[in-house]
């Protein structure tokens, strides 16, 4: 390999001046390598050459023939100039038109042999017609067609360049440079999985051989797609494996709790832990006693009781002489945890502190001095200024809002604190495997026995009377209600029902009840006040937006109305529904939908009516939205997958994962694979310290 160009700039390659280079950079192509990996978004089959006598209107066809007539026609007022030709292939004539491209007459004179590919239409005359087809000139030295007579790639392009120009440039680059690409995957792995060579894969993905199946290409499931998916997932998993190894190298804390605090708390609880809670706690305690840092995920549906498990772990840390921190994704949730936990540990002699963006005036001294044992907070906890005296255990609630990087930041706050991540959004196994590949996992797959299934009902919005009747029936039993709206207040942008007007409406309909309002534009203090009074039973109907999505725990609330349920995502609906059914009473969730709504919304509502199992719902959600969107908000700090699709490519993922973790085990810092190592680091941009030890 004497030229090493794939990493070089695209500018200066054939057909790419500074202007073009700018266009290319707009779609993310800066280097030759970027171009090689810029795969077609779809393919068209223009391989089958047809006789003009065989083609029919409506189809996309490819024909070859001689130009027997060519002329530029000026329409009246000179608005249009139409370049028109007639093509003959010995079986018939085809009329062809291009609009406002008079310069074509230079390249397409009478007598020239061309291949055309385009939509056939009826001209109203004897000959059929094609408008603005793609053309390719046949000459003695044409040995490879680019735009016709083959399976043709279609790229996602930007304005300022035509598909044909782009394709031609790609053809040049791919043919010149694909073979120069360095293959990052060790040969033994390629061989073991029978993967096609990288250069061949790139070539075939851009300009496939005639015999390839169009379907497999267009569905991203050709062997060449699978090869690139493997590479991508392999790099992804190598990053996770390296991260996991790095953290396990750190000397962690071997906690040595006597368990007095834990036992005291357990005794004071009005319930027994479920078996799933017990076994999860056992996992955690084992991790904590070991001298390696814990890195564990707790997955469990809403209401399964994760918080109390985390709290028990925090007590172990405190008893061993360390501080514990709990990080929540929102201030309202942090506040809620603070209130709850303060209440639970009353009498245990602990100091609990709250640190959020709203607690201005810097951090409470107690954190730095070590006086505060348990610190609850938001992102504010990982901000630069915050110093802990002796952070031993960090708990992150609602993992999906934080990424790998935030976890790393929080970790830096302690010596090497043990890390516990909790998520209430059940994640299908396929996703958990990629997303949390660097974490150990415990699942709480059991709800406390006193829980009644939430009964879910569906109403069109015009059945107000029945809906209000159900609401009234609950409140008359002394229970409370949530009413959730998708918007805070009236706006010009939407005609959605909103919380502010909704509250006024409920006050009018139920003058005898106390109606409260909760939304994200209220100050933290205001919101906390409202939540607290709802919790204490001073509010009968709490009208709110999705700020109650996670965490709010009010056992007396037994009915929830979701207004515009058709507007909410599945995960969100499931989370919302989890706010009721937290006590011992039977609870109701009423989904109120406004017509018209699409088929997808209908599917979501249907699933909500059929299932209360978070894992089931998550699988369906993934199925409806596809992994990209499903992951969207959860992927902070994770590299993008361009070719691979972790649902479709689940099998490949499992192989890639096994190979990656195996390789890191035998070659922890990839010393024997320097270029692979570099590729992984580039893939995990900005995480250069993936492999650094300590
Ligand atoms: P989540 O997993 O959604 O965070 P929480 O930890 O908020 O759930 O628990 C939900 C409610 O269930 C809380 O009121 C909590 O005190 C209660 N709870 C937790 N564990 C049990 C249990 N084993 N039996 C009965 N109630 C429990
Ligand atoms: Mg929780």
């Amino acid at each position: 390999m004497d030229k090493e160009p794939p990493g070089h700039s695209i500018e200066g390659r054939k057909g790419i001046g500074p202007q073009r280079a700018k266009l290319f950079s707009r779609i993310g192509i800066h280097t030759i390598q970027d171009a090689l990996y810029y795969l077609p978004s779809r393919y068209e089959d223009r391989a089958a050459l047809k006789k003009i006598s065989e083609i029919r209107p409506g189809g996309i066809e490819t024909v070859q023939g001689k130009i027997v007539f060519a002329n530029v026609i000026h329409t009246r007022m000179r608005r249009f100039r139409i370049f028109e030709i007639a093509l003959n292939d010995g079986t018939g004539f085809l009329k062809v038109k291009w609009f406002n491209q008079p310069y074509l007459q230079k390249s397409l004179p009478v007598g020239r042999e061309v291949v055309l590919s385009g939509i056939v239409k009826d001209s109203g005359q004897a000959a059929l017609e094609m408008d603005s087809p793609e053309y390719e000139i046949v000459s003695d030295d044409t040995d490879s067609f680019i735009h016709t007579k083959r399976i043709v790639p279609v790229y996602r392009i930007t304005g300022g360049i035509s598909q044909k120009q782009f394709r031609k440039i790609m053809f040049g680059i791919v043919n010149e440079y694909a073979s120069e690409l360095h293959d990052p995957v060790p040969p033994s792995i390629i061989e073991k999985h029978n993967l096609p060579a990288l250069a061949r894969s790139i070539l075939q993905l851009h300009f496939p051989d005639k015999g390839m199946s169009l379907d497999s290409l267009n569905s991203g499931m050709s062997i060449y797609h699978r090869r690139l998916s493997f590479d991508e997932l392999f790099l992804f998993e190598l990053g996770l494996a390296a991260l996991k190894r790095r953290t396990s190298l750190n000397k962690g804390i071997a906690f040595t709790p006597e368990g007095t605090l834990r036992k005291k708390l357990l005794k004071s609880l009005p319930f027994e832990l479920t078996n799933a809670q017990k076994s999860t706690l056992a996992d955690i305690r084992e991790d904590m006693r070991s001298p390696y840092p814990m890195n564990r995920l707790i997955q469990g549906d809403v209401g399964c009781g994760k918080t109390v498990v985390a709290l028990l772990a925090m007590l172990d840390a405190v008893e061993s002489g360390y501080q514990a921190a709990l990080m929540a994704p929102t201030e309202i949730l942090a506040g809620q945890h603070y209130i709850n936990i303060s209440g639970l540990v009353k009498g245990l002699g602990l100091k609990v502190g709250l640190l959020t963006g709203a607690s201005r005036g810097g951090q409470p001294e107690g954190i730095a001095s070590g006086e505060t044992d348990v610190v609850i907070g938001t992102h504010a906890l990982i901000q630069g200024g915050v110093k802990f005296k002796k952070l031993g255990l960090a708990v992150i609630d609602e993992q999906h809002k934080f990424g790998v990087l935030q976890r790393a930041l929080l970790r830096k706050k302690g010596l090497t604190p043990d890390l516990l991540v909790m998520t209430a959004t059940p994640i299908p196994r396929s996703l958990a495997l990629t997303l949390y590949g660097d974490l150990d996992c415990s699942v709480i797959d059991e709800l406390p026995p006193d829980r009644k299934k939430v009964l879910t009902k569906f109403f069109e919005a015009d059945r107000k009377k029945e809906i209000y009747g159900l609401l009234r029936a609950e409140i008359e039993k002394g229970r409370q209600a949530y009413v959730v709206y998708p918007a805070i207040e009236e706006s010009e942008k939407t005609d959605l029902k909103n919380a502010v007007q909704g509250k006024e409406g409920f006050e009018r309909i139920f003058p005898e009840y106390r109606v409260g309002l909760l939304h994200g534009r209220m100050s933290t203090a205001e919101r906390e006040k409202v939540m607290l009074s709802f919790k204490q039973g001073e509010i009968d109907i709490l009208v709110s937006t999705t700020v109650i999505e996670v965490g709010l725990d009010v056992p007396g609330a037994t009915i929830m109305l979701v207004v515009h349920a058709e507007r909410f995502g599945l995960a969100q609906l499931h989370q919302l529904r989890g706010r009721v059914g937290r006590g011992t009473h039977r609870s109701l969730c009423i989904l109120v939908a406004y017509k018209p709504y699409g088929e997808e919304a209908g599917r979501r509502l249907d699933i909500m009516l059929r299932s209360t199992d978070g894992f089931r719902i998550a699988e369906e959600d993934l199925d409806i939205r596809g992994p990209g969107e499903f992951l969207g908000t959860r992927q902070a700090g994770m590299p993008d997958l361009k070719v691979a699709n972790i649902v479709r490519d689940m099998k490949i993922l499992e192989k890639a994962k096994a190979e990656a973790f195996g390789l890191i085990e035998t070659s922890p810092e990839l010393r024997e694979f320097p270029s692979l190592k570099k590729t992984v680091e580039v893939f995990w941009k900005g995480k250069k310290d993936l492999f650094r030890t300590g």
Side-chain angles (χ1 to χ4, degrees), residues 510-521:
F510 299 108
E512 68 276 36
Y513 298 150
R514 296 157 300 178
V515 182
L517 179 67
L518 184 75
H519 61 69
R521 248 180 257 150

Side-chain angles (χ1 to χ4, degrees), residues 136 222 284 534 587:
E136 199 145 22
S222 69
I284 295 169
F534 188 60
S587 292

Side-chain angles (χ1 to χ4, degrees), residues 302-303 305-307 333 337 397-398 422 424 550-551 579 582:
V302 225
K306 293 180 292 294
T307 317
L333 239 189
H337 275 312
D397 194 9
E398 292 312 323
M422 308 195 286
V550 273
R579 298 305 109 206
R582 300 182 67 107

